[in-house]
Amino acid sequence: MAIHRSLVILAIVALKTPAISLATDFVVGDDDGWKLGIKYEDWAKGKQFFVGDTLEFKYNATVHNVYKVKGDNFKSCTVPSNNSLGSFTGNDTIKLATTGNKWYICGVNGHCDGGMKLKITVLDGTAPAPAPSAASTLLATNFQIFLGMIFTITSIVIVY
């Protein structure tokens, strides 16, 4: 009887295990990175950003940088006087820790006006888990069939 109870618990755990949702790492501009000539508004369109996700700014640090700014500074392309708001390595990762609108600009003269600016909206919660692949669904189905066979055999053994 103890074997049968253990198998029932195992089956419940296997069937009730929730999908894991992970934070997303976004490389700003994808393969193009952070540089002039990219429409970052188009890049961000259709993407959902959640608390816990990260933005990765990849750029040539000798000619670009990244500043986190407020909405007014974003509109006017004004670089903040506080350098602690800037990133200068060429491979900068910014974790999205709070909800709301976030604004980023390149602080090199003329670059923000030339289009090196990004506005996103960060949502609360986590990104939806990706849909299971056909292979994982098949594996789960086969596992359930296997458990059903084990239960049947165990029940027959226990009854006789």
Short mmCIF file of all heavy atoms in Angstrom, two decimals, residues 42 48 54 64 69-70 96:
data_model
loop_
_atom_site.label_atom_id
_atom_site.label_comp_id
_atom_site.label_asym_id
_atom_site.label_seq_id
_atom_site.Cartn_x
_atom_site.Cartn_y
_atom_site.Cartn_z
N ASP A 42 11.00 51.56 -33.14
CA ASP A 42 10.57 50.36 -33.87
C ASP A 42 11.07 49.09 -33.19
O ASP A 42 10.37 48.09 -33.14
CB ASP A 42 11.08 50.40 -35.32
CG ASP A 42 10.38 51.47 -36.15
OD1 ASP A 42 9.34 52.00 -35.71
OD2 ASP A 42 10.91 51.78 -37.24
N GLN A 48 7.31 43.28 -24.70
CA GLN A 48 6.80 43.54 -23.36
C GLN A 48 7.97 43.43 -22.40
O GLN A 48 8.69 42.43 -22.40
CB GLN A 48 5.71 42.57 -22.98
CG GLN A 48 4.41 42.83 -23.70
CD GLN A 48 3.28 42.00 -23.12
OE1 GLN A 48 3.44 40.82 -22.82
NE2 GLN A 48 2.13 42.62 -22.96
N THR A 54 16.21 42.50 -18.14
CA THR A 54 17.37 43.38 -18.26
C THR A 54 17.48 43.91 -19.68
O THR A 54 17.06 43.26 -20.65
CB THR A 54 18.69 42.65 -17.92
OG1 THR A 54 18.84 41.52 -18.77
CG2 THR A 54 18.73 42.21 -16.47
N HIS A 64 30.12 56.28 -28.01
CA HIS A 64 28.75 56.32 -27.48
C HIS A 64 28.76 56.10 -25.96
O HIS A 64 29.77 55.72 -25.38
CB HIS A 64 27.87 55.23 -28.12
CG HIS A 64 27.75 55.32 -29.59
ND1 HIS A 64 27.20 56.40 -30.24
CD2 HIS A 64 28.13 54.46 -30.58
CE1 HIS A 64 27.24 56.20 -31.54
NE2 HIS A 64 27.80 55.03 -31.77
N VAL A 69 17.44 58.76 -18.18
CA VAL A 69 16.96 60.12 -17.98
C VAL A 69 15.47 60.12 -17.64
O VAL A 69 14.81 59.09 -17.70
CB VAL A 69 17.21 60.99 -19.25
CG1 VAL A 69 18.69 61.14 -19.52
CG2 VAL A 69 16.49 60.42 -20.46
N LYS A 70 14.96 61.29 -17.31
CA LYS A 70 13.53 61.47 -17.07
C LYS A 70 12.87 61.86 -18.39
O LYS A 70 13.54 62.23 -19.35
CB LYS A 70 13.31 62.52 -16.00
CG LYS A 70 13.92 62.09 -14.68
CD LYS A 70 13.44 62.95 -13.55
CE LYS A 70 14.18 62.50 -12.31
NZ LYS A 70 13.40 62.11 -11.24
N LEU A 96 15.72 46.00 -14.93
CA LEU A 96 14.47 46.73 -14.81
C LEU A 96 13.84 46.36 -13.46
O LEU A 96 13.24 45.31 -13.33
CB LEU A 96 13.55 46.40 -15.98
CG LEU A 96 14.17 46.69 -17.36
CD1 LEU A 96 13.24 46.23 -18.47
CD2 LEU A 96 14.51 48.16 -17.49
#
